[in-house]
Amino acid sequence: MALDKFRRRMSGGLPGDFADLERWERRIQRDMLLGLALGVVVGALAALGGGRAPAQVFAAADPYLYLAVVILAGRLSLGFGWALVNCALTAFGLMISLILGAAIFGGQSPLDGVAADSLNRLLFLMVLSGVLASLTRLRGVWGDAAAGGLAVFFIIDVVDSYMDRINGTVLPTWEWAAAAAVALGLICALCLRPSLSCRLHASGIALVLGVVYTLAVAV
């Protein structure tokens, strides 16, 4: 929206155009710094409180707190390209803090084996979620599809963990993690769109895709 406003004003007087461009550049710089700082702070708090928080709180926060932070960064970004940059910076800030926290306080390195693969998938998922969050600002069906697709990420995670539980995997705090995932999925479908019809479209897209995925993994 800010870019469109700047383009519309390009036909006006030069002082206004330069003022818009300066505000645009300051906004981009501020978003990049805030995204990186937010990721570092949240990651540090998670690393410090991970071993002290109750298991239920930890299950509800990890990794959903990280995804929520990156989604917020993507939603507030000025356009698709800057959302990609800001979400990557926020995700890297989170990962750096978590890695350092695991090494310093836990005495372990998360860069080897299965843990490294999990971090890579989480990093990719966070950046993708943030970019989709930026696309929810689009008008029309594309914004609805972005919000519905974002909600599907959390539905898929609930379905996967439930299938693992059925297959015998012990998940003592599954209810807390599932509740956090469902809550974030509802927020993405209902709160990131401007009107009731858009929210219904996004919820319908998420429901249909969620049902298709559930049937696919259940067969």
Side-chain angles (χ1 to χ4, degrees), residues 83-119:
L84 183 61
V85 174
N86 293 338
C87 294
L89 287 173
T90 305
F92 277 121
L94 277 163
M95 291 294 100
I96 290 172
S97 294
L98 291 173
I99 290 171
L100 291 178
I104 295 173
F105 300 103
Q108 57 184 355
S109 174
L111 300 178
D112 298 326
V114 178
D117 294 336
S118 299
L119 284 177

Short mmCIF file of all heavy atoms in Angstrom, two decimals, residues 83-119:
data_model
loop_
_atom_site.label_atom_id
_atom_site.label_comp_id
_atom_site.label_asym_id
_atom_site.label_seq_id
_atom_site.Cartn_x
_atom_site.Cartn_y
_atom_site.Cartn_z
N ALA A 83 9.00 -8.64 2.57
CA ALA A 83 8.54 -9.66 3.51
C ALA A 83 9.50 -10.85 3.53
O ALA A 83 9.81 -11.40 4.59
CB ALA A 83 7.13 -10.13 3.15
N LEU A 84 9.98 -11.23 2.35
CA LEU A 84 10.94 -12.32 2.27
C LEU A 84 12.22 -11.98 3.04
O LEU A 84 12.75 -12.81 3.80
CB LEU A 84 11.26 -12.62 0.81
CG LEU A 84 12.20 -13.78 0.53
CD1 LEU A 84 11.63 -15.09 1.06
CD2 LEU A 84 12.46 -13.90 -0.98
N VAL A 85 12.71 -10.75 2.87
CA VAL A 85 13.93 -10.32 3.57
C VAL A 85 13.69 -10.25 5.07
O VAL A 85 14.48 -10.78 5.88
CB VAL A 85 14.40 -8.96 3.03
CG1 VAL A 85 15.57 -8.44 3.85
CG2 VAL A 85 14.79 -9.07 1.56
N ASN A 86 12.61 -9.60 5.48
CA ASN A 86 12.35 -9.42 6.92
C ASN A 86 12.09 -10.75 7.62
O ASN A 86 12.56 -10.97 8.75
CB ASN A 86 11.16 -8.49 7.12
CG ASN A 86 11.45 -7.07 6.67
OD1 ASN A 86 12.60 -6.66 6.60
ND2 ASN A 86 10.41 -6.32 6.36
N CYS A 87 11.36 -11.65 6.96
CA CYS A 87 11.08 -12.94 7.57
C CYS A 87 12.35 -13.79 7.68
O CYS A 87 12.54 -14.50 8.67
CB CYS A 87 10.02 -13.69 6.76
SG CYS A 87 8.40 -12.91 6.80
N ALA A 88 13.20 -13.70 6.67
CA ALA A 88 14.48 -14.42 6.75
C ALA A 88 15.33 -13.89 7.89
O ALA A 88 15.93 -14.67 8.65
CB ALA A 88 15.23 -14.31 5.42
N LEU A 89 15.38 -12.57 8.05
CA LEU A 89 16.16 -11.98 9.15
C LEU A 89 15.57 -12.39 10.50
O LEU A 89 16.31 -12.74 11.43
CB LEU A 89 16.17 -10.46 9.02
CG LEU A 89 17.05 -9.88 7.90
CD1 LEU A 89 16.82 -8.39 7.77
CD2 LEU A 89 18.52 -10.18 8.16
N THR A 90 14.25 -12.33 10.62
CA THR A 90 13.62 -12.72 11.89
C THR A 90 13.87 -14.19 12.20
O THR A 90 14.19 -14.56 13.33
CB THR A 90 12.11 -12.45 11.81
OG1 THR A 90 11.88 -11.09 11.46
CG2 THR A 90 11.45 -12.74 13.15
N ALA A 91 13.73 -15.05 11.18
CA ALA A 91 13.96 -16.49 11.38
C ALA A 91 15.41 -16.77 11.74
O ALA A 91 15.70 -17.59 12.63
CB ALA A 91 13.55 -17.25 10.13
N PHE A 92 16.35 -16.10 11.07
CA PHE A 92 17.76 -16.31 11.39
C PHE A 92 18.08 -15.82 12.80
O PHE A 92 18.87 -16.44 13.52
CB PHE A 92 18.65 -15.60 10.38
CG PHE A 92 18.87 -16.38 9.11
CD1 PHE A 92 18.50 -15.86 7.89
CD2 PHE A 92 19.43 -17.65 9.15
CE1 PHE A 92 18.69 -16.59 6.72
CE2 PHE A 92 19.63 -18.38 7.99
CZ PHE A 92 19.25 -17.84 6.77
N GLY A 93 17.48 -14.69 13.20
CA GLY A 93 17.68 -14.23 14.57
C GLY A 93 17.18 -15.25 15.58
O GLY A 93 17.85 -15.51 16.60
N LEU A 94 16.03 -15.84 15.31
CA LEU A 94 15.51 -16.89 16.18
C LEU A 94 16.45 -18.09 16.23
O LEU A 94 16.76 -18.61 17.32
CB LEU A 94 14.13 -17.32 15.69
CG LEU A 94 12.93 -16.49 16.10
CD1 LEU A 94 11.73 -16.79 15.22
CD2 LEU A 94 12.60 -16.74 17.56
N MET A 95 16.87 -18.55 15.07
CA MET A 95 17.72 -19.73 15.01
C MET A 95 19.05 -19.50 15.71
O MET A 95 19.55 -20.38 16.43
CB MET A 95 17.95 -20.13 13.55
CG MET A 95 16.75 -20.67 12.82
SD MET A 95 16.17 -22.26 13.47
CE MET A 95 14.80 -21.72 14.50
N ILE A 96 19.65 -18.34 15.51
CA ILE A 96 20.93 -18.05 16.16
C ILE A 96 20.78 -18.09 17.67
O ILE A 96 21.61 -18.67 18.39
CB ILE A 96 21.47 -16.69 15.68
CG1 ILE A 96 21.90 -16.77 14.21
CG2 ILE A 96 22.65 -16.24 16.54
CD1 ILE A 96 22.25 -15.43 13.60
N SER A 97 19.73 -17.45 18.18
CA SER A 97 19.53 -17.45 19.63
C SER A 97 19.28 -18.85 20.17
O SER A 97 19.80 -19.23 21.22
CB SER A 97 18.35 -16.54 19.99
OG SER A 97 18.64 -15.19 19.69
N LEU A 98 18.48 -19.63 19.45
CA LEU A 98 18.18 -20.99 19.91
C LEU A 98 19.42 -21.88 19.87
O LEU A 98 19.66 -22.68 20.78
CB LEU A 98 17.07 -21.60 19.03
CG LEU A 98 15.68 -20.98 19.18
CD1 LEU A 98 14.74 -21.56 18.16
CD2 LEU A 98 15.15 -21.19 20.59
N ILE A 99 20.22 -21.74 18.82
CA ILE A 99 21.44 -22.55 18.71
C ILE A 99 22.42 -22.19 19.83
O ILE A 99 23.00 -23.07 20.48
CB ILE A 99 22.07 -22.36 17.33
CG1 ILE A 99 21.21 -23.02 16.26
CG2 ILE A 99 23.48 -22.95 17.29
CD1 ILE A 99 21.63 -22.70 14.84
N LEU A 100 22.64 -20.89 20.04
CA LEU A 100 23.55 -20.47 21.10
C LEU A 100 23.02 -20.87 22.47
O LEU A 100 23.79 -21.29 23.35
CB LEU A 100 23.75 -18.95 21.03
CG LEU A 100 24.54 -18.43 19.82
CD1 LEU A 100 24.61 -16.91 19.86
CD2 LEU A 100 25.94 -19.03 19.80
N GLY A 101 21.70 -20.76 22.66
CA GLY A 101 21.13 -21.16 23.94
C GLY A 101 21.28 -22.64 24.20
O GLY A 101 21.60 -23.06 25.32
N ALA A 102 21.07 -23.45 23.14
CA ALA A 102 21.23 -24.90 23.30
C ALA A 102 22.68 -25.26 23.61
O ALA A 102 22.95 -26.18 24.40
CB ALA A 102 20.76 -25.62 22.04
N ALA A 103 23.62 -24.55 22.99
CA ALA A 103 25.03 -24.86 23.20
C ALA A 103 25.51 -24.39 24.58
O ALA A 103 26.27 -25.09 25.25
CB ALA A 103 25.88 -24.21 22.10
N ILE A 104 25.05 -23.20 25.01
CA ILE A 104 25.55 -22.62 26.26
C ILE A 104 24.85 -23.22 27.47
O ILE A 104 25.49 -23.64 28.44
CB ILE A 104 25.38 -21.09 26.23
CG1 ILE A 104 26.26 -20.49 25.13
CG2 ILE A 104 25.74 -20.49 27.60
CD1 ILE A 104 26.04 -19.01 24.92
N PHE A 105 23.52 -23.26 27.41
CA PHE A 105 22.76 -23.70 28.58
C PHE A 105 22.47 -25.19 28.58
O PHE A 105 22.34 -25.80 29.63
CB PHE A 105 21.43 -22.92 28.67
CG PHE A 105 21.61 -21.44 28.79
CD1 PHE A 105 21.42 -20.62 27.69
CD2 PHE A 105 22.00 -20.87 29.99
CE1 PHE A 105 21.59 -19.25 27.79
CE2 PHE A 105 22.17 -19.50 30.10
CZ PHE A 105 21.97 -18.68 29.00
N GLY A 106 22.36 -25.78 27.39
CA GLY A 106 22.06 -27.20 27.33
C GLY A 106 23.27 -28.08 27.12
O GLY A 106 23.18 -29.30 27.24
N GLY A 107 24.39 -27.46 26.77
CA GLY A 107 25.60 -28.24 26.54
C GLY A 107 25.52 -29.17 25.36
O GLY A 107 26.20 -30.19 25.32
N GLN A 108 24.71 -28.81 24.35
CA GLN A 108 24.57 -29.66 23.18
C GLN A 108 24.55 -28.80 21.93
O GLN A 108 24.23 -27.62 21.98
CB GLN A 108 23.28 -30.49 23.25
CG GLN A 108 22.02 -29.63 23.38
CD GLN A 108 20.77 -30.47 23.53
OE1 GLN A 108 20.82 -31.69 23.45
NE2 GLN A 108 19.66 -29.81 23.75
N SER A 109 24.89 -29.42 20.83
CA SER A 109 24.88 -28.71 19.54
C SER A 109 23.71 -29.22 18.71
O SER A 109 23.59 -30.42 18.48
CB SER A 109 26.19 -28.95 18.78
OG SER A 109 26.11 -28.38 17.48
N PRO A 110 22.83 -28.30 18.26
CA PRO A 110 21.71 -28.72 17.43
C PRO A 110 22.05 -28.76 15.95
O PRO A 110 21.15 -28.77 15.11
CB PRO A 110 20.68 -27.62 17.73
CG PRO A 110 21.50 -26.41 17.96
CD PRO A 110 22.80 -26.88 18.60
N LEU A 111 23.31 -28.75 15.61
CA LEU A 111 23.73 -28.68 14.21
C LEU A 111 24.11 -30.04 13.64
O LEU A 111 24.63 -30.11 12.53
CB LEU A 111 24.93 -27.72 14.07
CG LEU A 111 24.68 -26.28 14.52
CD1 LEU A 111 25.94 -25.46 14.38
CD2 LEU A 111 23.55 -25.66 13.73
N ASP A 112 23.87 -31.11 14.36
CA ASP A 112 24.25 -32.43 13.90
C ASP A 112 23.02 -33.32 13.75
O ASP A 112 22.07 -33.24 14.53
CB ASP A 112 25.22 -33.10 14.87
CG ASP A 112 26.52 -32.31 15.02
OD1 ASP A 112 26.94 -31.72 14.01
OD2 ASP A 112 27.06 -32.27 16.14
N GLY A 113 23.04 -34.15 12.74
CA GLY A 113 22.07 -35.22 12.60
C GLY A 113 20.64 -34.75 12.42
O GLY A 113 20.34 -33.81 11.69
N VAL A 114 19.72 -35.43 13.13
CA VAL A 114 18.29 -35.18 12.98
C VAL A 114 17.93 -33.77 13.41
O VAL A 114 17.07 -33.12 12.81
CB VAL A 114 17.50 -36.23 13.80
CG1 VAL A 114 16.00 -35.95 13.69
CG2 VAL A 114 17.81 -37.63 13.29
N ALA A 115 18.60 -33.26 14.46
CA ALA A 115 18.29 -31.92 14.94
C ALA A 115 18.57 -30.87 13.88
O ALA A 115 17.82 -29.91 13.71
CB ALA A 115 19.09 -31.62 16.20
N ALA A 116 19.65 -31.04 13.13
CA ALA A 116 19.97 -30.09 12.06
C ALA A 116 18.91 -30.12 10.97
O ALA A 116 18.51 -29.07 10.45
CB ALA A 116 21.34 -30.40 11.49
N ASP A 117 18.45 -31.31 10.60
CA ASP A 117 17.39 -31.41 9.59
C ASP A 117 16.12 -30.74 10.08
O ASP A 117 15.43 -30.06 9.31
CB ASP A 117 17.13 -32.87 9.26
CG ASP A 117 18.31 -33.54 8.58
OD1 ASP A 117 19.12 -32.80 7.97
OD2 ASP A 117 18.42 -34.77 8.67
N SER A 118 15.79 -30.91 11.35
CA SER A 118 14.60 -30.29 11.91
C SER A 118 14.71 -28.77 11.88
O SER A 118 13.74 -28.06 11.58
CB SER A 118 14.37 -30.77 13.34
OG SER A 118 14.17 -32.17 13.38
N LEU A 119 15.90 -28.25 12.21
CA LEU A 119 16.10 -26.81 12.17
C LEU A 119 15.97 -26.27 10.75
O LEU A 119 15.41 -25.19 10.54
CB LEU A 119 17.48 -26.45 12.75
CG LEU A 119 17.62 -26.51 14.27
CD1 LEU A 119 19.05 -26.20 14.67
CD2 LEU A 119 16.66 -25.52 14.93
#
